[in-house]
Amino acid sequence: MLIPKKNRREVYKYLFKEGVLQAEKDYNLPKHPEIDVPNLQVIKLMQSFKSQELVTERFSWRHYYWFLTDKGIEYLREYLNLPSEIVPATLKKTTRPLERLPARPDRPSGPRRFGGDREGGFGGREGYRGAPREGGFGRGAAPADKAGAPGSYQPQFGGSGRGAPAQ
């Protein structure tokens, strides 16, 4: 596809500046949301970059996501005549220090367990379903109320199918 040099340069500049590029899979979109270039041209340029292994592509929920590789960074530096000091935003280190949240005093330290020692704890298998409920089959009803087969019921499996004994 023939793409004007001005549009090609705009896409390349944006890709190098950010390090990543996304586009919706809509070939009829008149303009890309972040770049003043038709969406089809952005997608086709990135297809070309992908075939040259200058970007890696992910596709999810009708959106393409392209990530610049080291080879792609070198190519764009050469194409845009940029010095080696300039790097994409994805490679820049953050200047703010990482904030550590203080430990929560209301939680006991150590591994989590399903023991009965904590409030609302689950005391093992017998406490798994919580307090006994009333009524319903298998929901805490009295054992005499359980329905089932009578004690004299003896099922017989021995028809003429595959599992039948040899005659």
Side-chain angles (χ1 to χ4, degrees):
M1 175 176 202
L2 294 175
I3 299 171
K5 194 166 188 173
K6 183 185 90 142
N7 290 356
R8 183 181 301 264
R9 238 178 127 65
E10 286 298 313
V11 173
Y12 288 1
K13 279 197 304 190
Y14 183 84
L15 179 61
F16 188 83
K17 185 179 93 176
E18 297 296 327
V20 294
L21 181 61
Q22 67 85 26
E24 185 178 351
K25 185 183 176 181
D26 183 0
Y27 302 122
N28 299 320
L29 205 61
K31 187 173 95 60
H32 187 271
E34 285 123 14
I35 312 167
D36 192 25
V37 175
N39 204 43
L40 177 65
Q41 292 179 2
V42 173
I43 292 171
K44 292 302 175 183
L45 278 171
M46 291 301 106
Q47 273 183 356
S48 170
F49 267 38
K50 182 185 166 201
S51 69
Q52 298 172 50
E53 297 179 350
L54 302 177
V55 294
T56 56
E57 179 183 272
R58 296 246 172 94
F59 183 78
S60 177
W61 290 75
R62 293 196 51 190
H63 282 79
Y64 291 104
Y65 299 93
W66 294 284
F67 306 94
L68 205 51
T69 62
D70 292 337
K71 189 177 170 185
I73 291 171
E74 292 305 315
Y75 175 81
L76 287 178
R77 261 200 196 116
E78 187 179 318
Y79 187 89
L80 298 171
N81 297 320
L82 296 171
S84 59
E85 298 87 44
I86 299 175
V87 293
T90 52
L91 297 180
K92 290 181 182 173
K93 301 284 184 195
T94 57
T95 56
R96 62 184 176 100
L98 294 175
E99 298 173 12
R100 298 211 66 150
L101 296 174
R104 290 181 52 178
D106 59 335
R107 280 196 175 171
S109 62
R112 291 184 177 197
R113 293 198 173 103
F114 291 105
D117 57 340
R118 291 177 66 180
E119 83 247 8
F122 298 109
R125 285 182 177 260
E126 54 278 349
Y128 176 68
R129 296 282 181 198
R133 297 184 219 155
E134 293 151 20
F137 180 70
R139 293 190 179 252
D145 293 346
K146 285 191 176 183
S152 62
Y153 178 65
Q154 297 293 322
Q156 297 292 320
F157 302 105
S160 58
R162 287 184 160 184
Q167 294 181 3

